[in-house]
Amino acid sequence: NIMLCLSDWQKGKVKLGHLDLEGALIARDRVGIQDFVLLDAHNSETAFLDNLKKRFTEDLIYTYIGTLLISVNPYKELDIYTKKQMDLYMGVNFFELPPHIYALADNVYHTMLSEANNNFILISGESGAGKTEASKKILQYYAVSCPSSTLMDTVRDRMLMSNPVLEAFGNAKTMKNDNSSRFGKYMDIQFDCQGDAVGGHILSYLLEKSRVVHQNHGERNFHIFYQLVEGGEEDLLRHLGLEKDTKRYSYLVQGECSNVSSINDKDDWKTVKNALSVIDFDANDIEHLFGIIASVLHLGNVHFDGDTKGYATLNTNAALRWLLEIHVQVLHEALTFRKIEAKSEEVLSPFTVDHAIYARDALAKAIYGRAFTWLVNRINESLENRVRGQQKKISDNFLLILCVLSFEQFCINYCNEKLQQLFIQLTLKAEQEEYEAEGIGWEPVQFFNNKIICDLVEEKHRGIISVLDEECMRPGDATDLTFLDKLEEKMGNHPHFVTHKLADKKTRKSLERGDFRLLHYAGEVTYCVVGFIDKNNDLLYKNIKDVIRLSKNPIIQQCFPATEGDSRRRPETVSPLFFNSGKVEICFFLLCLFSLFITGKFDEVLVRHQVKYLGLMEHLRVRRAGFAYRRRYEVFLKRCTCRWGGRTSSVFSPHKPELLFIFCHIQRTKIFIRYARTLFATEDAFEICKHELATKIETCWRGVQARKERDRRAWAVKIIKQFIKGYITRREAKTTDNSEYLAFVRQSYLNRLKNNLPKTVLDKTTWLTPPPVMTETSEILRQLHTRMMVRKYVRGITPQKKAQLQQKVVTSGIFKGKKDSYPSSVAVPFVDTRISQSFCYSVPVVKYDRNGFKPRPRQLILTQAAVYLVEEAKIKQRVDYVSLKGASLSNLGDSVMILHVALNDPKQKGDMVLQCDHLFEALTKLAMIANKQNNIKVVQGSIKFEIQTGKEGGVDFSTGQEPMIYKGKNGHLMVVAPRMKSR
């Protein structure tokens, strides 16, 4: 490989692929640095962005910051996710190959196995950055790289097929992304102690339910609605009361982009239906699930009018017939009235039109949201580890894939604050532990501590979340502005919080009266409080829940159980649900994959913003606070040395050892290099010296090969001379000179004979002609092989086949070589009878009258004593076998026979002229039953027959184009037989 590399390098034929490009000495300036820790100007944000841009331009979308991976979305298909690429990264050291998501996935998997700990992959970034695609790539990698078994294959299939289902029900087109995930999810894969996947689990949170009833311009509702309407079968749509037109449903047209060129809803529908089957959804579940989707669409088409007092009235339309399979009158009451408590009893209060629309939309969101939760739970049931209680070797190890996705910008920004805090802590901790283990002093690194911002959001009784929940639950009319007043009251002096009221004159110009601004880690962000109260609430009016429980749809009944507790007790708001789940799960974070949002070409302003809020420069500063490069000794030496000819040699020249160890720290288990330029100097020396070593190896190798070639040729000359001498003396008695040649001849003949043996006894030509030395042996082998084939054939003959062959032997003795049509009858098996009655034999025939030769259909029946000619149930002629003199037929291809009868009585009928389609079969049966094999004659020309005593007739035979039978002018029966092909 070294020589090939050097040869190609000298000839200028090196092709810079993704692997060669990053390793080539001449390409470093072109493609940048694959690990930012090795960036010389590591404190420069400009240098950071320039390195990203260089790599992005060459379609190198992955770059490391130590063990962190940055992925820049190329927004096009790259040929870097093939099976070949997966095989390349399996079991390879993390930094041994260029950065790739497969390297990260493989490293996490093997770390989990070696350390027997749970491991996490955190996928973070903005909408459209490629987080969903990244999670797919990781799952696909594990599907190929993990051990295979029936259980493993089932888990793989279901885990992979859960993606299109969750995308259909939880993803939608947004302004930034045509397949944006509108919910957060944790996905864990459960492995046993041997690394086999035995189960999985998905935890979803923060589904963007508001999208069900409202979409901004240029956006769509969840994919499943469009897939059902566009791709659903006619029978299904008719059953659900839907039409194949998305524009007819108000919940699907608010964004004014129902059809998107990059989305094929019909094909996606087929994928989703197939995926549901793989995940083990039964037909009833699928039918009820799509029934819920249709119900939401119909609910969106319900409209309200206002009466004279301004109260809402429900328009009766076709949509109501399909809503949740409940009564229109009950639904009418639920959507136009609400139950309130007055004087310790419940009364109905009428809705305004706005309230009715709110109730309708709340109902639609609640149904879809809980159906989505049911869907995730059903997927989890299919992924459940069912062998945990049966197999003691199952460990609790699992690998978690966590996608942090935008729902409300406030929530996601707070989550980023927590992640930033966590990243820095874990990175600092890992660095400090490594230096302590290697005996290197650690200098504290100064970084922005964003705990003050996290406390501002999450602190109990004082944080923004607590204030929001208190305002949602307090009695009276809580509004967004009263919520803003409470914020100003409780945190007016906080240095990271400002509103229009609290700001100075200069800042006040950039703030509206309903805004508040937080100084996040990544910079200032302004939030509008409009909608905070409604979006944090998740209330349904009591009577609406009662209506939902009347549904006959079993999924709805499971989602809204009757035992759901006191409906007057307010459920937990959205914010605590999100933040609590975030706190519990994120604390298990170990490794992360960052994905940046790019718009087709490198937008430095956009990338700079993401680099800042993701804290990438902070991570880089922490990693560079110590040493830029560290490797275990065995890994480093393996790269710097090569083994050939039984010896280990250094790639570096003996006179340049200082290039290897200058500025290096030799610690307990690793070698450390502080400065990136030192490593690059070492790498450059490595690139140069390895070619010098390759040249030396090439010289030695060519000498070894030349000596081997010399010896090989000498041996070949000797063998050829012996072969020629043996050929010359091959016909002489066996001697030392020809013994090897004769052995070669015997072996060659036997090898050829083995592959060309006759397959049947009738094959007389396949047997190979032997050389003189093998003549006797060949004849013995031929006889043995023939006997073996005969024995095998005889053993395979059944009693039925034996009887059939015995009849064919009789037929052959009578007709072979005598009648033209005989050969065509050989392959046709004889039957016991041609009619259903129990006789020795029977067959349909045509009988020609002895006077006039008129054809008459008859049955020829053979018994043990006589031959009968029968018309239906009437016997027309009976001839005892004693009186049967024999039978005659021509040698041509016709099917006419004459049965000759001894006329012992003047009243007795004469000979029978018959035509039979099964001529050979019938005559063979007759010959064997009557024992008349020697009385059947095949003649040429004409045949005479006796009409009665003293009176004769004749049958003349000839050949022609078409077979015919007619009375000739000479009074004879004329039979024209077809001309048979020569045989």
Side-chain angles (χ1 to χ4, degrees), residues 678-827:
T678 303
L679 179 63
F680 291 145
T682 306
E683 285 289 325
D684 292 344
F686 173 79
E687 288 290 332
I688 296 171
C689 293
K690 76 177 182 182
H691 293 300
E692 295 178 357
L693 178 61
T695 303
K696 295 178 182 178
I697 294 175
E698 182 182 21
T699 301
C700 296
W701 183 252
R702 284 178 176 171
V704 170
Q705 292 297 97
R707 288 188 288 274
K708 285 185 177 180
E709 180 65 17
R710 179 198 62 193
D711 296 341
R712 190 181 70 83
R713 291 186 178 185
W715 173 85
V717 169
K718 178 182 177 182
I719 295 301
I720 292 172
K721 288 175 64 177
Q722 289 179 351
F723 191 86
I724 294 173
K725 192 169 184 180
Y727 176 77
I728 295 173
T729 59
R730 67 187 184 281
R731 300 189 187 278
E732 300 176 3
K734 183 177 179 180
T735 63
T736 304
D737 292 333
N738 65 9
S739 60
E740 290 190 11
Y741 176 79
L742 294 178
F744 167 76
V745 170
R746 294 189 188 98
Q747 183 178 357
S748 177
Y749 174 72
L750 292 176
N751 284 333
R752 288 186 291 114
L753 183 63
K754 177 184 67 174
N755 299 322
N756 293 277
L757 291 172
K759 299 298 188 295
T760 66
V761 178
L762 299 178
D763 186 353
K764 306 296 185 182
T765 60
T766 302
W767 195 267
L768 296 180
T769 302
V773 72
M774 293 292 290
T775 301
E776 184 179 355
T777 303
S778 175
E779 181 58 25
I780 295 173
L781 290 174
R782 188 188 64 77
Q783 293 176 3
L784 288 173
H785 183 66
T786 301
R787 291 176 61 185
M788 181 189 70
M789 288 192 295
V790 170
R791 187 176 184 184
K792 182 178 179 181
Y793 180 78
V794 170
R795 285 187 172 184
I797 295 177
T798 64
Q800 295 80 5
K801 182 70 172 178
K802 182 178 180 181
Q804 185 74 213
L805 290 175
Q806 289 173 340
Q807 295 180 50
K808 290 290 185 178
V809 169
V810 173
T811 307
S812 175
I814 298 173
F815 301 108
K816 185 178 180 181
K818 301 175 182 178
K819 188 164 179 64
D820 290 349
S821 55
Y822 167 74
S824 63
S825 73
V826 173

Side-chain angles (χ1 to χ4, degrees), residues 291-347:
I292 292 176
I293 302 303
S295 298
V296 172
L297 291 178
H298 288 304
L299 193 60
N301 283 358
V302 172
H303 301 290
F304 303 92
D305 293 329
D307 61 12
T308 56
K309 295 183 179 181
Y311 296 140
T313 60
L314 188 61
N315 272 334
T316 302
N317 56 37
L320 289 175
R321 292 185 291 107
W322 304 97
L323 285 176
L324 301 176
E325 301 176 15
I326 58 177
H327 300 293
V328 174
Q329 184 58 40
V330 179
L331 184 64
H332 180 281
E333 179 182 293
L335 293 180
T336 56
F337 293 87
R338 65 170 173 170
K339 290 182 180 179
I340 60 174
E341 290 188 3
K343 298 180 180 181
S344 300
E345 63 180 17
E346 290 182 343
V347 298

